[in-house]
């Protein structure tokens, strides 16, 4: 039995082989998809997507999916709401194959129906627009005619005056006799009436003018209301125009130009009686059309509402079904025995669950042939699977964003649950800000369900994803705020101070007063609140926070370095302990462990009450002179300091060659020993799995293995167990050596640079504190210095300003920056000490994951 | 109120707390998470507290202020 799956390392994985009867392949995969713990391997990677077994089914489902999307867009267009997926109760029951067929037929029918309804609706709509336009033309053009009728004389005269106006010349020539004739046709003038989009009118005029050389008379007017185009559902402003011109050819030209510019032409009668009839007719037709339109619309809406009631569940079903067939395509199909053969990675502890699920499916189908589950031994690296819950998920994501842990190496995600928010809190330490953050996180956790279902913008969804991280960050910030004794930059006098003010007798206002110790006691919890608002507050907290960050960094790095010991023990590579961990640890501790010791020692000595009292030594100089002139001590910290420092330095120096040479030479020795005993690492190819063809010597072994699964159970025995780790590589001493040299240089330099890097804790916590002090002074501090009505008014106003700035600048902005710094401390400073991170992520076939990635809205 | 022994007492408390959390952590698949989180939190908090305590144990400088008024201070003392 495999050990219990914990977050500490990846769960034990086994490569399993499933022999599934062809008839129930779909049901089996669907049941496994609901379980979501099988990572299926692609056994047909050499065949293209079109050659696979279930391509037909996928195509069909693609079509259904397209139809469902079509319904969705139609519903959007008609703004009919879709019933949310969360309102269904039986989302997880797998549909049977016949149900899928039914669904696909149904959606085909519905598509036809909706499409035909839509088509007729659109035709009707187009007709309606045409009629409306025609009505406008009749109305507006009628106006022109009525006006023009009274002015035929003027037109003629105005034409006469113009010398080269050719338009009415022949009218003039032979029309004199019939001056009484007042109709346009009598003047041999034709006209074209129609409607054109308003933005084209200028071009239209220009083109007409140029082509006809001015031989026209154009009249136009704007339609006051916009006309809705049925094709695009957009509103377009249009103009009615009437163009009068002379001669059939010119009229024909005008028609062509108008049509090419997208104008719609309508016939208008010259006679006002006929026009009135036309308007009447158009009106009655419009009202008929409207009632038909309304009916069609209602039918369509009813149809879509009916679809909308089930659309979400249909989409989910089809999505799942498609995923099932895509997974089935990864299986290999045995023609002779009508079985599907699948290979999948699965947590060893879940094998029982898998087996019982398969048994259930079998029983339900009433099949006598059982589904066989085999565990196969393999030299392939299993994928890394850290099982998370909703609390640990976000923390694990932090680690996985950097890299996937090697299979069964220590998962840094587990300690990150504490160290990440704690280091954040060291930088963000403020009781008040911590409370705000905790409350925000608690609110998000309390309204988790409704928030999960609603759509959020990117920033909020990020915060929501990390709500448990925020909760931890907020809680620790409250704690560090108490330690720093800061609540919105104000002090928290919980315990009696260890200081008291003692005024000299000749005290004048404005003199500086220095506090004296109040007895021998030390302030019991956190910083003494008396430091607030003092002259030398910064001096004290500066030194305190700098040392704090060095100490915290040292703790964190030592802690992380120890995981490399755990890893070496787990992977049974003692050389990593003696060649990497031990010398590395000695190197680190003899320099920085010693610095930490010196800091703590200096704090624990009461320098002013020594006998004789002396000035405390500077630690920075001590460390520098420890390297520059080993053995000589200028300011003594403790007796015997010189020899101790020399020994420590020698130890550190001695560790470097050990770090550098031990591992590569040991590996070479091992390799040569194995060679001498006649072992060969090269020719021994190992089958990775019975169905795996990607080995180079596939012509040699491939066929045999292809047959093997068709044979008896012994087929599994064909798979030899690989003794060496993974795919064997030739031992190359130079490569190992170079690798180790790089590692050594990196490690030694990183000891220095990473310790320095933890000083960001110091910088950020100081910056945060100072910023909140400034914010208080600039807003509420000013308000509190006023009195009377202005004071009240200012307090109210400035309180809001202060609060908004506190939330947005101090909590959101500063919080983000502190979080990024904490992230870096984990990724770089801590994880470089032990994390190998060459694992393969475990990507199980799971409907839950699938629906999460492509949600049905 | 508090002296150098506080560090030792605090340490004892934290060790006791760690042992308790190890054995009393809720059983089940999240036991490891409970144990690690409780123990690590306790130690992180202890280290933070201890560092702050040590820094003030034998302070090298004392707070100074120039904006004090005698009457404020005397008044406070009376109360």
């Amino acid at each position: 039995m495999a050990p219990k799956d914990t977050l500490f390392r990846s769960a034990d994985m086994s490569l399993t082989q499933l022999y599934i009867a062809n008839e129930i392949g779909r049901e089996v995969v669907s049941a496994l998809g609901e379980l979501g713990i099988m990572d299926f391997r692609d056994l047909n990677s050499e065949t293209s997507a079109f050659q696979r077994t279930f391509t037909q089914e996928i195509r069909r489902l693609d079509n259904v999916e397209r139809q469902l999307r079509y319904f969705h867009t139609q519903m959007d267009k008609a703004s009919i709401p879709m019933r949310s997926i969360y309102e269904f109760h039986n989302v997880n029951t797998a549909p049977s194959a016949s149900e899928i067929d039914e669904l696909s037929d149904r959606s085909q029918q519905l598509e036809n129906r909706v499409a035909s309804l839509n088509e007729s609706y659109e035709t009707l709509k187009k007709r309606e627009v045409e009629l409306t336009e025609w009505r406008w033309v009749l109305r507006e053009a009628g106006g022109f005619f009525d006006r023009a009728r009274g002015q035929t004389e003027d037109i003629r005269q105005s034409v006469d005056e113009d010398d080269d106006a050719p338009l009415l010349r022949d009218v003039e020539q032979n029309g004199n006799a019939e001056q009484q004739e007042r109709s346009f046709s009598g003047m041999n003038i034709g006209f074209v009436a129609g409607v054109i989009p308003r933005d084209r009118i200028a071009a239209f005029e220009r083109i007409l003018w140029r082509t006809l050389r001015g031989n026209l008379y154009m009249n136009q007017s704007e339609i006051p209301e916009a006309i809705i185009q049925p094709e695009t559902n957009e509103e377009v402003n249009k103009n009615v125009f009437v163009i009068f011109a002379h001669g059939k050819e010119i009229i024909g030209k005008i028609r062509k130009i108008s049509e090419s510019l997208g104008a719609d032409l309508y016939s208008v009668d010259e006679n006002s009686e006929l026009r009135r009839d036309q308007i009447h007719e158009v009106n009655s037709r419009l009202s008929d059309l409207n009632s038909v339109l309304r009916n069609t619309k209602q039918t369509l809406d009813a149809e879509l509402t009916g679809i909308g009631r089930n659309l979400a569940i249909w989409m989910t079903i089809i999505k799942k079904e498609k995923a099932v067939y895509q997974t089935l395509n990864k299986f290999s199909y045995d023609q002779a025995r009508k079985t599907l053969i699948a290979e999948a990675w699965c947590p060893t502890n879940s094998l029982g669950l898998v087996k019982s699920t398969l048994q259930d499916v079998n029983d339900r189908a009433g099949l006598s042939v059982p589904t066989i589950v085999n565990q196969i031994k393999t030299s392939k690296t299993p994928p890394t699977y850290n099982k998370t819950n909703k609390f640990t998920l976000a923390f694990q994501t932090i680690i996985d964003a950097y890299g996937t842990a090697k299979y069964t190496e220590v998962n840094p995600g587990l300690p990150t649950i504490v160290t990440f928010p704690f280091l954040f809190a060291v930088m963000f330490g403020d009781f008040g800000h911590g409370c705000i953050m905790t409350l925000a996180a608690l609110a998000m956790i309390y309204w988790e369900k409704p928030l999960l279902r609603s759509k959020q913008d990117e920033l909020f969804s990020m915060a929501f994803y990390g709500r448990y991280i925020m909760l931890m960050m907020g809680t620790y910030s409250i704690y560090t705020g108490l330690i720093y004794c800061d609540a919105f930059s104000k002090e928290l006098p919980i315990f009696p101070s260890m200081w008291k003010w003692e005024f000299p007798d000749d005290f004048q206002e404005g003199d500086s007063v220095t506090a004296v110790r109040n007895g021998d006691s030390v302030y019991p919890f956190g910083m003494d609140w008396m430091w607030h608002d003092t002259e030398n507050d910064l001096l004290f907290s500066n030194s305190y926070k700098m040392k704090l960050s060095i100490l915290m960094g040292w703790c964190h790095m030592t802690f992380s370095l120890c995981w490399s010991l755990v890893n070496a023990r787990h992977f049974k590579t003692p050389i990593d302990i003696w060649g990497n961990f031990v010398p590395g640890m000695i190197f680190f501790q003899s320099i920085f462990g010693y610095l930490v010791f010196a800091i703590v020692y200096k704090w624990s000595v009461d320098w002013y009450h020594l006998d004789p009292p002396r000035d405390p030594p500077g630690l920075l100089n001590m460390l520098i002179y420890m390297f520059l002139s080993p053995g000589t001590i200028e300011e003594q910290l403790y007796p015997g300091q010189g020899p101790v420092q020399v020994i420590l330095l020698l130890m550190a120096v001695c560790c470097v060659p050990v770090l550098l040479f031990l591992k590569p030479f040991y590996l070479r020795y091992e390799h040569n020993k194995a060679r001498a005993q006649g072992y060969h690492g090269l020719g021994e190819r190992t089958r990775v799995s019975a169905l795996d063809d990607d080995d180079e010597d596939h012509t040699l072994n491939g066929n045999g293995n292809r047959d093997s699964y068709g044979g008896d159970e012994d087929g599994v025995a064909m798979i030899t167990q690989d003794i060496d780790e993974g795919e064997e590589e030739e031992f190359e001493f130079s490569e190992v050596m170079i690798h180790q040299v790089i590692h050594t240089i990196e490690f030694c330099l990183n000891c220095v640079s990473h310790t320095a890097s933890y000083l960001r804790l110091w910088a950020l916590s100081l910056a945060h504190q100072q910023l909140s002090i400034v914010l208080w002074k600039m807003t509420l501090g000013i308000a509190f210095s006023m009195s009377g009505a202005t004071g009240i008014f200012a307090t109210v106003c400035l309180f809001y300003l202060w609060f908004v700035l506190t939330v947005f600048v101090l909590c959101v902005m500063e919080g983000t920056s502190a979080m990024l710094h904490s992230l870096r401390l984990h990724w770089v400073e801590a994880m470089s000490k032990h994390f190998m991170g060459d694992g393969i992520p475990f990507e199980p076939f799971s409907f839950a994951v699938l629906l999460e990635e492509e949600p049905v809205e | 109120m508090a002296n150098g022994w506080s560090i030792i007492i605090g340490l004892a408390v934290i060790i006791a707390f760690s042992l308790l959390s190890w054995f009393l952590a809720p059983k089940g698949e999240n036991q490891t998470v409970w144990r690690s989180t409780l123990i690590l939190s306790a130690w992180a908090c202890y280290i933070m507290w201890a560092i702050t305590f040590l820094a003030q144990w034998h302070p090298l400088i004392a707070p100074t202020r120039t904006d004090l008024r005698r009457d404020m201070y005397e008044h406070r003392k009376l109360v």
Side-chain angles (χ1 to χ4, degrees), chain A residues 386-494:
Chain A
N386 292 308
K387 198 179 173 199
T388 53
N389 54 28
K390 65 180 177 181
F391 174 70
T392 50
L393 173 68
F395 294 101
Q396 189 61 46
T397 311
I398 292 178
I399 303 301
D400 290 342
Y402 183 75
T404 309
K406 186 187 167 99
Y407 179 61
T408 70
E409 87 163 301
V410 170
N411 173 23
L414 184 63
T416 298
I417 296 174
V418 175
T419 52
F420 178 80
F422 198 85
L423 286 182
F424 167 87
V426 170
M427 295 179 266
F428 194 73
D430 190 297
F431 182 79
H433 303 156
C435 284
I436 291 179
M437 184 164 268
T438 313
L439 287 177
L442 281 176
M444 281 194 275
I445 291 165
Y446 185 77
W447 284 289
E448 200 167 56
K449 276 219 174 109
L451 282 172
L452 261 178
R453 290 171 180 191
S454 63
K455 258 196 158 169
Q456 302 135 6
D457 63 288
E458 206 174 337
L459 203 72
F460 183 78
S461 70
M462 243 165 69
F464 180 70
Y465 189 81
R467 60 198 178 278
Y468 289 101
I469 299 185
M470 265 178 76
L471 178 68
M472 296 293 271
M473 294 196 301
T475 332
Y476 288 131
S477 298
I478 293 177
Y479 177 78
T480 51
L482 289 175
I483 289 277
Y484 292 154
C485 198
D486 279 329
F488 297 122
S489 84
K490 293 283 119 185
E491 70 265 35
L492 288 163
I494 305 170

Side-chain angles (χ1 to χ4, degrees), chain A residues 476 479 513 521 526 535-536 544, chain B residues 1 41 45 52 56 62 64-65:
Chain A
Y476 288 131
Y479 177 78
V513 184
S521 69
E535 302 291 308
N536 48 0
Y544 154 68
Chain B
M1 189 163 39
S41 306
C45 291
T52 316
Q56 297 182 93
T64 37
R65 282 183 87 145

Side-chain angles (χ1 to χ4, degrees), chain A residues 501 503 507-513 532-535 777, chain B residues 64-73:
Chain A
W501 298 114
F503 290 86
F507 175 75
Q508 300 274 311
E509 205 158 292
D511 281 357
S512 92
V513 184
H532 267 270
D533 301 321
T534 54
E535 302 291 308
K777 275 191 185 152
Chain B
T64 37
R65 282 183 87 145
T66 53
D67 56 348
L68 286 178
R69 288 207 306 264
R70 191 191 280 267
D71 49 342
M72 261 175 75
Y73 180 71

